[in-house]
Amino acid sequence: MVTLKQLPVEELWGPGHNACAGCGSSIAVKMILKALRGPTVVVSPTGCVEVVSSSYPQTAWGVPWVHVLFENAAAVASGIEAAYKYMVKKGITNEKPDVIVIAGDGGTFDIGLQALSGALERWHDFLYICYDNEAYMNTGIQRSSATPKGAWTTTSPAGKVIPGKPEWKKDLIGIAVAHGIPYAATATIAYWNDLITKVRKALEVEGPTVLHVLAPCPLGWRFDPSKTVEISRLAVQTRYFPLYEVENGVYKLSVKVSRPKPVEEFLRPQRRFRHLFTPENRHIIEEIQKNIDEGWERLLKRCGLKS
Amino acid sequence: MGRRIGLMGDEAVAYAVKQCDVGLVSAYPITPQTIMVERISEYVANGEIDTEFVCVESEHSALSVCVGASLSGLRVFTATASQGLALMHEVLYAASGLRCPIVMAVANRALSAPLNIHCDHSDMMGSRDCGWVQVFAENVQEAYDWVIQAFKIAEHPDVQLPTVVNLDGFTLTHCMEDVEVLEDEDVKKFLPPRKPIYWVDPKQPMTFGAWAMPNYYYKFKLQQQEAIMRSLRVVKEVGEEFGKLTGRRYDTLYGYGLEDAEVAVLSMGSTSGTIRYTARRLRESDGLKVGALKLWLFRPFPEEDLVSALEKVKVLIVLDRALSPGAVFGPLGSDIASLMVKHGLDFKLLNYTYGLGGDEVTPEMAEKLFKLGLKVAEGAKPPSLTGYVREVV
């Protein structure tokens, strides 16, 4: 695991980006760029990180950075990776840069999933990182397939009949692993050394790799901007967002949560879940807890561990 | 100086790509473009070229891969048709806005519904305003020739814009012609390696694809407009140079009999051959003053060349192989109407749609059109100024 002392002082993210105070995605990007091992190209689809970092004529990027459209980051990255493969083959350049996609959950779980699947299947040597803030935050907090069950968003409002999003969140790592890729992992900003270590590890691996990074969003999750890291930590400590990695199909738990906190502790500080704390909706919290418990058991089994 | 070989349109395009030292090809199969990507895959699989071939899961990704590779500085090619072009639609605009000199072949085909795999131009017309330089080939030879020229036009420092070569689905893509191909060495001389002005270079971190507020956005778009207008000159220069090399000189358009024609028919693509053949027959056997005008370059629209070509014409029949439902004229007809207004041209304009979804286009039909035009030139009232050719004549 990487230590603070080993991190480069150089900042490749900002200063001068326009992210909200306490933006979890911005913290994630800053950490990701601390893990680089050499020449790197970053590709981002349309989304929060893209918008806060590239208002012409300014840029927050200290590395070459490419934005084309919303659903095609994995395809654009494929093109860059293949181009450099060709240039090395032809002796036009001798160095193949690492290619990293940094994409939101909308651009990954939803509209960009096909392009991602294609790029994984074609075995491009690149790292795809999804910073997951669990909704379309840039356009004003609309639900995505990464939005958790029960959460309020502007398109899954907490109405009188339907109390927030009825559906469960999609299993991104499960989908990624199904492609047989050599490395996939989850991470979140509160566990910074785990996150940075995993980015570096993924870069070292030949072939396509995927990181799913939970990035709390004060604006959309409705919590105080000073609490971003706390919320991120609570996500792990309640087993809401387990940290693990899958190396060549072998699952390994990164953080063992032996005495989990009840999920309520993760939900309560976030006003997107406020409506669940009423007598008529409390059963949803119970369903969420049950889902977490079952998910944890499944994960332990995959990791070859006993509960 | 060249060799003559039998090639179908798709094969000719692939053969040209093979000779153009292309760094990356990314494509998704769609009828009637498939043979292009099949041949290119074979060239790669057999080690005849060292192009990176990225065979993707959709046309949207095909063009996105091309954008990534083009931004990295490579010479890049893709090909599609119909629904594929429609699926690429938003990427087309990104490619031109990011000034990627990608070359694409479009095997023109109708759009669903109903499903139809045969030729018309509704695919390209649906993406007419995407900011690409757009040319139309009349025959297989032209398709081959235009692909080679397209790279030179697209990559010209004054242009830096993607370029699309249109060839009629099946009529050209699947028909074999005797094609004169250049020697590889001659193509190399004509088309030196791409020299990108800027590219994704880790040694020089740059931001590509920043977003722009209103005060900057229009400036980007105006620069793009200037670039496509500059390509007019480049198309002519490249066409002339290609002519010196091959004896086949290209330009923005090709006129026949226009020095004294009272009636001319304007068309794009393979139909231009049928029209010119008919015009020649009517001139030679019946002494009729008719002419044919083929538009090679659709975007940028070669205004000046059209104005001089149409100087003597009294009646112009514009053929559109795409419907613009609910519009006054078809896409090409609208352009000519605009040209008339802008340049104060004085001729009678008839604008008919034809050949939708592969509907046949015959010399008899062309003859009827010319004869209708001649009557109108004498003062007769046409049955209608617009409509579908089959129903008009």
Side-chain angles (χ1 to χ4, degrees), chain A residues 178-227:
Chain A
H179 290 77
I181 58 171
Y183 187 75
T186 62
T188 187
I189 53 169
Y191 296 79
W192 61 269
N193 46 358
D194 177 66
L195 167 58
I196 293 171
T197 305
K198 282 171 175 168
V199 172
R200 188 57 175 265
K201 192 167 178 180
L203 290 175
E204 305 283 352
V205 169
E206 283 274 333
T209 52
V210 173
L211 277 190
H212 178 194
V213 178
L214 188 72
C217 168
L219 185 77
W221 296 11
R222 298 289 195 237
F223 63 81
D224 187 280
S226 67
K227 306 283 184 207

Side-chain angles (χ1 to χ4, degrees), chain A residues 109-129:
Chain A
F109 283 66
D110 287 347
I111 200 166
L113 189 65
Q114 176 182 322
L116 172 60
S117 174
L120 297 180
E121 184 269 337
R122 293 190 302 271
W123 220 254
H124 292 282
D125 184 17
F126 80 124
L127 165 59
Y128 190 102
I129 302 175

Side-chain angles (χ1 to χ4, degrees), chain A residues 39 41 50-51 54-57 59 62 64-67 71-72 75 79-80 82-84 86-87 89-90 97 114-115 122, chain B residues 23-24 50 52 54-58 60-61 64-65 68-69 71-72 74 90 200-202 205-211 216 220:
Chain A
V41 177
E50 174 261 334
V51 164
S54 68
S55 161
Y56 184 86
T59 180
W65 178 84
V66 180
H67 160 253
E71 67 278 62
N72 67 352
I80 295 170
Y84 268 93
Y86 174 82
M87 287 191 273
K89 180 169 74 184
K90 298 283 279 183
Q114 176 182 322
R122 293 190 302 271
Chain B
L24 179 140
D50 45 21
E52 279 292 315
V54 185
C55 197
V56 288
E57 84 296 336
S58 72
H60 195 284
S61 282
S64 300
V65 167
L71 288 176
S72 304
L74 255 55
E90 64 160 352
V200 176
D201 179 7
M206 281 174 69
T207 285
F208 294 80
W211 58 275
Y216 285 111
F220 278 99

Side-chain angles (χ1 to χ4, degrees), chain B residues 23 43 62 90 100 111 125 131 134 163 169 198 237 276 279 286 320 372 378:
Chain B
Y43 295 144
E90 64 160 352
C100 295
L111 286 171
M125 291 305 140
Q134 297 163 38
T163 299
Y198 46 78
E237 284 170 8
R276 199 171 53 252
D286 305 338
D320 262 299
L372 168 69
E378 283 161 16

Side-chain angles (χ1 to χ4, degrees), chain A residues 106-294:
Chain A
T108 303
F109 283 66
D110 287 347
I111 200 166
L113 189 65
Q114 176 182 322
L116 172 60
S117 174
L120 297 180
E121 184 269 337
R122 293 190 302 271
W123 220 254
H124 292 282
D125 184 17
F126 80 124
L127 165 59
Y128 190 102
I129 302 175
C130 172
Y131 63 92
D132 178 10
N133 54 23
E134 301 197 317
Y136 293 89
M137 298 313 186
N138 176 44
T139 44
I141 323 168
Q142 290 86 21
R143 64 88 88 184
S144 76
S145 59
T147 303
K149 184 185 174 81
W152 161 91
T153 70
T154 55
T155 51
S156 62
K160 285 178 191 148
V161 181
I162 308 169
K165 191 193 176 209
E167 301 86 7
W168 296 104
K169 185 185 176 102
K170 205 184 263 181
D171 175 15
L172 180 69
I173 293 299
I175 294 167
V177 169
H179 290 77
I181 58 171
Y183 187 75
T186 62
T188 187
I189 53 169
Y191 296 79
W192 61 269
N193 46 358
D194 177 66
L195 167 58
I196 293 171
T197 305
K198 282 171 175 168
V199 172
R200 188 57 175 265
K201 192 167 178 180
L203 290 175
E204 305 283 352
V205 169
E206 283 274 333
T209 52
V210 173
L211 277 190
H212 178 194
V213 178
L214 188 72
C217 168
L219 185 77
W221 296 11
R222 298 289 195 237
F223 63 81
D224 187 280
S226 67
K227 306 283 184 207
T228 306
V229 177
E230 266 175 54
I231 298 282
S232 160
R233 189 174 298 118
L234 278 169
V236 177
Q237 291 176 343
T238 57
R239 295 177 176 170
Y240 169 82
F241 192 80
L243 300 183
Y244 62 97
E245 55 188 356
V246 189
E247 219 174 330
N248 296 314
V250 180
Y251 282 69
K252 193 181 156 210
L253 208 54
S254 310
V255 175
K256 291 192 179 87
V257 187
S258 36
R259 277 190 300 278
K261 293 179 173 166
V263 73
E264 273 190 53
E265 290 192 32
F266 170 69
L267 303 179
R268 198 182 292 277
Q270 305 177 48
R271 293 205 308 284
R272 62 172 171 159
F273 295 115
R274 182 168 54 178
H275 56 283
L276 301 184
F277 291 88
T278 57
E280 66 272 23
N281 289 337
R282 255 208 112 79
H283 67 97
I284 298 172
I285 299 181
E286 284 158 25
E287 282 173 44
I288 295 171
Q289 185 64 62
K290 187 165 170 274
N291 183 262
I292 287 174
D293 295 343
E294 287 169 3

Side-chain angles (χ1 to χ4, degrees), chain A residues 40-83:
Chain A
T40 305
V41 177
V42 174
V43 178
S44 291
T46 313
C48 281
V49 163
E50 174 261 334
V51 164
V52 304
S53 65
S54 68
S55 161
Y56 184 86
Q58 293 164 336
T59 180
W61 295 94
V63 290
W65 178 84
V66 180
H67 160 253
V68 180
L69 293 164
F70 195 4
E71 67 278 62
N72 67 352
V76 173
S78 301
I80 295 170
E81 191 270 342

